[in-house]
Amino acid sequence: MSKTQSLQFVRHPHPAPLAADKRAELLKNPGFGRVFSDHMATVRYSDSQGWHDARIEPRAPIPMDPAAAVLHYAQEIFEGLKAYRTEDGGATLFRPEENARRFQQSAERLAMPILPEKVFLDAVDQLVDIDRAWIPEGDGSLYIRPFMFANEIFLGVKPSSDYLFIVIASSVGAYFKTSAPAVSVWVSQDYTRAAPGGTGAAKCGGNYAASLLAQAEATRHGCDQVVFLDAVEKRWVEELGGMNVFFVFDDGSMVTPPLGGTILPGITRSSLITLAKDKGIPVREEPYSIQQWKADAASGRLREAFACGTAAVVTPIGTVRSPDGEFTIGNGGSGARTEELKATLVGIQRGRVADKYGWIHKVF
Ligand code: PLP
Ligand code: COI
């Protein structure tokens, strides 16, 4: 079998999907990442057969050998994107091709096989189609989690010869539980997320494992998210544990840290850069130091800051805390520019604002 074919997904519908009334109960207040749909997409890979055995099947535990390579050397990558319910009862995805491409780049960095873009997109489309009833009404969405892991039963340290690609879906509301108008962030001084030459630009599970202690420290200090500084000078703001960051200045311009291999090239980040530029807002992708952040917040040159990502959407940052003390941005809440960009982005994602970029992918 060729390694680049597009595959036919065989459907094995769930014999007993969750009853509609129970599902409706779960969808009332799903939170983030705890409510799962009835099905999953699975595709297998082996060096000898290439990609094969594509299925849509009931979501269920996966039998694993304790010697499966991922359990030892963490050869795993994932993606995150959302399906939205449209007013006419259909479902759409936001720039899923970008997720498919980033998945390929992550695979390359982790020495994994490259999943054809079409197989990635078909798996997502088919899962959203069969589990369409799990897309919440209103502000909620169906968070799609494609992932792939090394499944060879072998303890030698080398790229695995077998992989499993799976897509699951989770009905979600807002990522942050806080009802505050903006989130607070903790600047990690002891831990960094990624070093030059490392895996910072890949969406691999290991990056998140390495971030957990810093995130726990942030939580202990009453903060919603951790901010990572660069690993070399411990000076330049890189990104948050699970989102990119933007700064808005009094002259109307914006700054976001440049993609240099140590931060995740966010699809929300790139979309916001495009939207801002089209609105005539100058956006600079340039290094911004933690000292400058503090000084600009104090002088009032910095008006707003926000986090962005698939899960976070656009979330204002109000307070920055570190062992040296804390400072507030603007009035500590959201700002006009943050709200304007969020409204345009969410408007396009939900079909309320014309999509002149071709970002919306219709599922059905
Ligand atoms: N940075 C990190 C570390 C992330 O986990 C995410 C979320 O996927 C992002 C940035 C934002 O990326 P995207 O906008 O593609 O969701
Ligand atoms: C996403 O936004 O998709 C992520 O993977 C980030 C994580 C905080 C859920």
Side-chain angles (χ1 to χ4, degrees), residues 143-204:
Y143 182 79
I144 314 291
R145 171 52 60 86
F147 62 105
M148 167 162 63
F149 61 87
N151 208 19
E152 184 178 354
I153 299 164
F154 179 55
L155 294 183
V157 182
K158 67 157 190 81
S160 172
S161 61
D162 293 273
Y163 296 87
L164 193 49
F165 169 69
I166 304 183
V167 189
I168 55 174
S170 172
S171 311
V172 300
Y175 183 73
F176 289 109
K177 288 192 204 85
T178 175
S179 56
V183 295
S184 52
V185 295
W186 170 257
V187 185
S188 179
Q189 315 240 305
D190 296 334
Y191 308 107
T192 54
R193 178 181 174 276
T199 55
K203 205 160 167 62
C204 59

Side-chain angles (χ1 to χ4, degrees), residues 32 78-81 143 145 175 203 208 242-243 309-312:
F32 188 92
F78 68 96
E79 269 304 324
L81 67 163
Y143 182 79
R145 171 52 60 86
Y175 183 73
K203 205 160 167 62
Y208 296 79
M243 43 212 77
T310 298

Side-chain angles (χ1 to χ4, degrees), residues 55 107 114 164 207 270 285 307 317:
R55 297 161 178 253
I114 304 300
L164 193 49
N207 287 344
S270 109
E285 295 179 65
I317 299 171

Side-chain angles (χ1 to χ4, degrees), residues 9-13 54-57 125-127 129-131:
F9 280 80
V10 178
R11 278 199 187 196
H12 302 272
R55 297 161 178 253
I56 301 292
E57 58 191 353
D125 274 353
Q126 297 237 14
L127 182 62
D129 179 31
I130 199 166
D131 280 343

